[in-house]
């Protein structure tokens, strides 16, 4: 007897689902076909602001961070800002050249995590990944809080509302990224290049003033009494604070796939251009600050003080400088939104994070990674209450951990391969690894009491969590995977009379749960159709060969295998549409939709397993499909 239609959900629930789906389409845009994924790749001109806004925006505060430490030793200590800037620029050059080699060696992208994984092993790679995840989160939060503070400096009435404003800006940046990389590139290109242009104008007008009016004799800074002795430790603290100029440099190496082909060559050129721009802009701000005798001021930033001296207080160019600074500080968070989801997706593919972190959304972006970063950055903003004082002290710790491990991994790679020119490359990466390690130690020691202890604790905890997720995945996959020879164990049971039922079995993989679902379907149906929606990278020939080993000749024992292509990123919609088409073609047939489901023994397993299956069930409910059967496979402890 055929089952009743429409038993899979109340009509109003389906209407609400339709309304929410339409709202999401309006906010995020229509789904993009996979065939357009190449068109979502960006030229270098658009990729530069997406992946470099964090590094370039650091010019607005890196000099001030170093001066803020030097002033503790009195006004005279400020003259050390130029040597410190020179040392940081040299370090920028070493890191940029090192990552150009990394891009060439690893054109698929990945940065520190991939390099450490391939050359140093699992645990160093997890330390690099955890460091970057923490740094990306802090990058998003600190950049937005700094942008909000720049806004409240222009409009003091907004000072009590810094936290909600930062959260609103966070949502806007996240929304732009959820719409896709091309939209993000267009949104962020103009403010980033506007800031670069304003720093160039600052340099040109400043040079004119120095040549024709001021001269090159530096002004004496305001007299400030020393609070601490000028020693090596304080100089190293100032150096480590100024190294905040280097946060975000690795983003290009992580985001090679964003570039149009030839992606690696474009990424290398963009990395070099970014390094040159960052170094020159940093030198301009530090040099003008030294010549004009600028000192840290609680009411005005160092960059604003330089702008007043060069452009004049209240001039249109000064306002343009401040507004472009505000915008790029806000948009610098986009570097995190470009890097965090891609790194999380790689970790998910390696089973160190839940697999849904690697899912590509309808707009061809890692929407789950973007969402997680939104939540994490929002928590940082709420905890800090919109104040960057604590968070900025932790800014560079994670990224220098990643720098050190990445370049150490490249040293091992050159030593192992020993190809043409290997010795010179090895020595350069060894120098980079040593210098970044020294900076890392200085940051930890000098900033420990200022909040660095939280990151020192957080990174090992995050590494432990990643390792536990991988361990649980390995345990579960061993339990559900087919052993050698076991893939031939599926056989149709004998049947006497037809029952007039067809089972459509959703097969995400040929595993024990899937075989159990197929066995059950064979006992209740005349016809069993196994439906596999091909994901990116799936090999149809290999799937058919494994199917033949499991079942025998295709269509020969009452089983059929249908491999469905998905024009979009979703692997759910093709199955739902296939079910609807089968029901329309055979209205006289009763269809049973059979879904394998692994039943976890621990609550935590619910985050790792069945997520796509649960989404599939909700989609089928909304389409009023007929009969559902969940074939439960109980996982071992």
């Amino acid at each position: 007897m055929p089952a009743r239609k429409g038993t899979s959900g109340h009509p109003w629930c389906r209407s609400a689902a339709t309304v929410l789906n339409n709202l999401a389409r309006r906010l995020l845009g229509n789904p993009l076909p996979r065939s357009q994924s190449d068109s979502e790749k960006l030229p270098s001109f658009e990729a530069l602001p997406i992946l470099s806004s964090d590094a370039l925006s650091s010019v607005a505060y890196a000099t001030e961070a170093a001066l803020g430490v030097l002033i503790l030793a009195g006004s005279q200590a400020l003259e050390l800002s130029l040597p410190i800037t020179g040392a940081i620029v040299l370090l920028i050059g070493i890191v940029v050249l090192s990552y150009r080699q990394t891009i060439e060696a690893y054109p698929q992208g990945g940065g520190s995590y991939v390099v450490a994984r391939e050359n140093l092993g699992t645990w160093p790679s997890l330390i690099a990944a955890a460091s970057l995840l923490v740094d990306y989160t802090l990058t998003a939060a600190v950049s937005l809080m700094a942008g909000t503070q720049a806004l409240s400096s222009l409009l003091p009435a907004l000072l009590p509302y810094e936290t909600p404003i930062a959260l609103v800006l966070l949502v806007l940046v996240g929304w732009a990224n959820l719409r896709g990389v091309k939209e993000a590139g267009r949104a962020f290109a103009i403010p980033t290049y506007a800031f670069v242009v304003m720093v160039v104008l600052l340099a040109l007008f400043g040079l004119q003033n120095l040549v024709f009016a001021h001269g090159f004799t530096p002004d004496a800074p305001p007299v400030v009494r020393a609070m601490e002795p000028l020693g090596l430790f304080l100089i190293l603290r100032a150096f480590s604070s100024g190294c905040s100029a280097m946060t975000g440099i690795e983003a290009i190496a992580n985001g090679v796939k964003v570039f149009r082909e030839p992606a690696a060559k474009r990424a290398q050129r963009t990395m070099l251009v970014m390094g040159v721009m960052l170094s020159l802009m940093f030198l301009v701000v530090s040099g003008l600050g030294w010549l004009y005798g600028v000192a840290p001021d609680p009411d005005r930033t160092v960059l604003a003080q330089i702008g007043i001296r060069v452009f004049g207080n209240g001039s249109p160019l000064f306002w343009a400088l401040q507004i472009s600074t505000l915008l790029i500080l806000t948009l610098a968070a986009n570097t995190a939104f470009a890097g965090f989801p891609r790194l999380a997706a790689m970790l998910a593919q390696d089973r160190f994070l839940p697999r849904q972190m690697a899912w590509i959304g309808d707009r061809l972006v890692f929407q789950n990674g973007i969402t997680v970063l939104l939540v994490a950055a929002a928590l940082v903003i709420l905890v800090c209450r919109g104040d960057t004082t604590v968070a900025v002290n932790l800014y560079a710790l994670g990224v220098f951990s990643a720098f050190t491990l990445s370049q150490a991994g490249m040293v091992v790679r050159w030593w192992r391969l020993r190809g043409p020119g290997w010795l010179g490359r090895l020595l350069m990466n060894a120098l980079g690894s040593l210098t970044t390690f020294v900076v890392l130690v200085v940051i930890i020691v000098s900033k420990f009491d200022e909040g660095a202890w939280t990151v020192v604790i957080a990174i090992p905890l995050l590494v432990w969590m990643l390792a536990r997720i991988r361990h649980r995945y390995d345990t579960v996959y061993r339990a559900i995977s087919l052993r050698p020879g076991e893939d031939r164990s599926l056989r149709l049971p004998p049947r006497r009379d037809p029952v007039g039922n067809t089972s459509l079995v959703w097969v995400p993989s040929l595993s024990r749960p899937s075989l159990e679902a197929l066995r059950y379907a064979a006992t209740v149906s005349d016809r069993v159709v196994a439906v596999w929606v091909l994901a990116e990278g799936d090999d149809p020939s290999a799937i058919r060969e494994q199917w033949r080993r499991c079942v025998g000749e295709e269509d020969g024992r009452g089983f059929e295998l249908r491999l469905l292509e998905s024009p979009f990123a979703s692997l759910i919609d093709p199955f739902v549409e296939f079910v609807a088409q089968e029901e329309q073609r055979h209205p006289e047939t009763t269809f049973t939709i059979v879904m394998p489901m692994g039943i976890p023994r621990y609550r935590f397993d619910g985050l790792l397993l069945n997520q796509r299956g649960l989404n599939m069930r909700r989609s089928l409910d909304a389409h009023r499909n007929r009969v559902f059967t969940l074939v439960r496979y109980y996982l071992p402890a």
Side-chain angles (χ1 to χ4, degrees), residues 270-442:
T270 304
M271 173 71 79
L272 184 60
V273 171
M274 184 272 295
V276 171
M277 291 171 60
L278 174 60
S279 299
L280 292 177
M281 292 165 67
F282 191 24
L283 285 171
V284 164
V285 175
S286 295
L288 290 177
W290 175 67
L291 286 168
Y292 287 127
V294 173
D297 187 331
D299 297 326
R300 281 199 176 100
T301 65
V302 166
L303 187 60
Q305 294 179 64
I306 297 172
I308 290 173
R309 291 293 300 270
V310 173
F311 297 135
N313 193 11
S315 71
L317 286 177
F318 172 68
W319 277 90
L321 174 65
Q322 290 301 98
I323 292 173
S324 64
T325 303
L326 160 66
L327 292 176
I328 196 172
L329 281 170
T330 302
L331 300 181
N334 189 68
T335 298
F337 280 95
F340 184 100
R342 289 183 179 84
L343 176 59
M346 284 188 285
L347 289 168
Q349 290 166 356
D350 292 340
R351 302 180 188 173
F352 290 111
L353 282 177
R355 296 300 297 270
Q356 55 266 35
M357 296 297 289
W359 293 355
I360 298 178
D362 289 339
R363 297 292 294 180
L364 304 181
V365 295
F366 298 108
Q367 58 187 19
N368 290 332
I370 293 172
T371 303
V372 169
L373 180 58
L374 274 169
V375 174
L379 289 175
V380 174
I381 291 172
L382 289 171
V383 169
C384 295
R385 298 181 181 179
D387 185 2
T388 61
T389 303
V390 175
V392 78
N393 288 326
L394 319 177
Y395 215 180
L397 197 155
V399 78
F400 271 91
S401 300
F403 284 166
T404 301
L405 290 168
S406 173
Q407 293 179 82
M410 292 300 294
V411 170
V412 173
R413 175 183 173 85
W414 301 133
W415 177 261
R416 187 178 69 247
L417 297 180
R418 303 189 188 186
W422 69 274
L423 183 58
R425 295 185 176 189
L426 183 148
L427 291 175
M428 191 186 74
N429 284 125
L431 175 63
S433 179
L434 177 62
T435 53
T436 54
F437 176 73
V438 170
V439 174
L440 174 63
V441 172
V442 170

Side-chain angles (χ1 to χ4, degrees), residues 511-566:
S511 58
R512 290 192 181 196
S514 296
L515 292 185
E516 291 293 332
L518 289 166
R519 287 194 189 99
Y520 168 79
T523 65
V524 298
S525 304
D526 307 314
R527 176 174 172 243
V528 177
V529 182
V531 184
W532 184 311
V533 183
L534 295 171
E536 186 176 2
D538 281 349
D539 184 355
S541 300
I543 294 172
R544 291 185 185 278
E545 177 60 30
Q546 188 180 10
W547 173 262
R548 280 191 286 270
R549 291 198 305 268
C550 285
V551 182
E553 290 300 323
E554 194 173 320
D555 299 332
R557 301 183 60 82
F559 289 88
E560 302 174 29
L561 174 65
R562 297 290 183 90
L563 301 181
L564 304 181
E565 297 281 354
S566 177

Side-chain angles (χ1 to χ4, degrees), residues 102-115 117-118 250-259 263-264 267 342-343 346:
T102 302
I103 292 170
E104 181 181 359
Y106 296 92
Q108 76 277 13
S112 298
Y113 169 66
V114 172
V115 175
R117 181 188 63 191
E118 299 294 332
E250 194 197 40
I252 292 177
N254 284 345
V256 176
K257 292 183 179 180
V258 168
F259 291 85
R342 289 183 179 84
L343 176 59
M346 284 188 285

Side-chain angles (χ1 to χ4, degrees), residues 61-110:
Y61 53 77
T63 299
E64 185 165 12
L67 294 179
V69 176
L70 289 174
I71 197 66
L72 297 175
S75 319
Q76 295 301 316
L78 297 180
E79 64 185 15
L80 294 175
S81 63
L82 277 186
I84 288 174
T85 298
I88 294 172
V89 167
L90 178 62
L91 188 58
I92 289 173
I94 293 173
V95 172
V96 166
L97 292 176
S98 173
Y99 273 112
R100 278 173 53 86
Q101 293 186 167
T102 302
I103 292 170
E104 181 181 359
Y106 296 92
Q108 76 277 13

Side-chain angles (χ1 to χ4, degrees), residues 2-314:
R4 291 182 301 139
K5 293 185 179 181
T7 59
S8 298
H10 195 279
W12 111 197
C13 294
R14 295 190 295 271
S15 298
T18 302
V19 171
L20 291 175
N21 185 63
N22 291 336
L23 179 61
R25 290 285 183 265
R26 289 182 178 274
L27 288 174
L28 304 180
N30 293 321
L32 295 174
R34 286 182 181 177
S35 59
Q36 289 188 13
S37 60
D38 288 337
S39 69
E40 286 297 292
K41 307 292 186 181
L42 299 177
S44 300
F45 184 80
E46 290 188 11
L48 176 64
I50 285 183
L51 298 174
S52 301
S53 56
D54 178 28
L56 296 179
S57 70
S58 65
V59 173
Y61 53 77
T63 299
E64 185 165 12
L67 294 179
V69 176
L70 289 174
I71 197 66
L72 297 175
S75 319
Q76 295 301 316
L78 297 180
E79 64 185 15
L80 294 175
S81 63
L82 277 186
I84 288 174
T85 298
I88 294 172
V89 167
L90 178 62
L91 188 58
I92 289 173
I94 293 173
V95 172
V96 166
L97 292 176
S98 173
Y99 273 112
R100 278 173 53 86
Q101 293 186 167
T102 302
I103 292 170
E104 181 181 359
Y106 296 92
Q108 76 277 13
S112 298
Y113 169 66
V114 172
V115 175
R117 181 188 63 191
E118 299 294 332
N119 299 288
L120 301 178
T122 299
W123 289 105
S125 72
L126 291 184
I127 295 173
S131 300
L132 284 175
L133 291 175
V134 170
D135 186 70
Y136 282 137
T137 303
L138 289 171
T139 294
V142 170
S143 298
L144 292 170
M145 288 188 291
T148 303
Q149 289 175 345
L151 178 61
S152 63
S153 298
L154 289 174
L155 302 172
L158 298 178
L159 189 61
Y161 308 103
E162 284 186 339
T163 299
I165 291 174
L167 293 174
V168 169
L169 293 174
L170 175 67
V171 171
L172 291 176
V173 175
W175 169 71
N177 279 272
L178 286 170
R179 287 191 62 89
V181 292
K182 182 171 288 185
E183 281 76 1
R186 295 193 185 104
F188 301 143
I190 294 176
T192 302
Y193 286 123
F195 179 73
V196 173
V197 168
M198 290 311 304
V199 175
V200 170
L201 290 177
L202 189 72
L204 293 176
F205 278 71
L207 181 61
Q208 180 189 38
N209 176 259
L210 293 172
V211 171
F212 296 104
H214 183 278
F216 289 91
T217 301
D219 293 337
V223 177
V224 177
R225 179 180 298 178
M227 300 177 61
E228 296 183 18
L230 180 61
L232 178 62
F233 186 73
L234 187 136
I235 294 173
L236 291 176
R237 282 175 59 194
F239 173 77
S240 65
S241 295
C243 282
S244 58
M246 298 182 62
T247 56
I249 285 181
E250 194 197 40
I252 292 177
N254 284 345
V256 176
K257 292 183 179 180
V258 168
F259 291 85
R260 289 179 182 171
E261 294 297 336
K265 292 295 184 183
R266 288 179 181 271
Q268 282 184 307
R269 289 196 296 267
T270 304
M271 173 71 79
L272 184 60
V273 171
M274 184 272 295
V276 171
M277 291 171 60
L278 174 60
S279 299
L280 292 177
M281 292 165 67
F282 191 24
L283 285 171
V284 164
V285 175
S286 295
L288 290 177
W290 175 67
L291 286 168
Y292 287 127
V294 173
D297 187 331
D299 297 326
R300 281 199 176 100
T301 65
V302 166
L303 187 60
Q305 294 179 64
I306 297 172
I308 290 173
R309 291 293 300 270
V310 173
F311 297 135
N313 193 11

Side-chain angles (χ1 to χ4, degrees), residues 425-482:
R425 295 185 176 189
L426 183 148
L427 291 175
M428 191 186 74
N429 284 125
L431 175 63
S433 179
L434 177 62
T435 53
T436 54
F437 176 73
V438 170
V439 174
L440 174 63
V441 172
V442 170
I443 293 173
I444 293 175
V445 174
S446 63
K447 303 292 184 181
F448 192 83
D449 292 337
E450 300 176 33
W453 63 270
T454 58
V455 177
V456 172
I457 294 174
I459 289 177
L461 287 177
L462 189 54
V463 168
W464 176 82
M465 184 196 76
L466 297 174
R468 290 299 301 169
I469 291 174
R470 174 60 182 263
H471 174 74
R472 186 55 187 161
Y473 264 130
D474 289 345
T475 301
V476 170
Y477 276 47
R478 281 196 300 269
I480 68 176
S481 296
L482 300 175

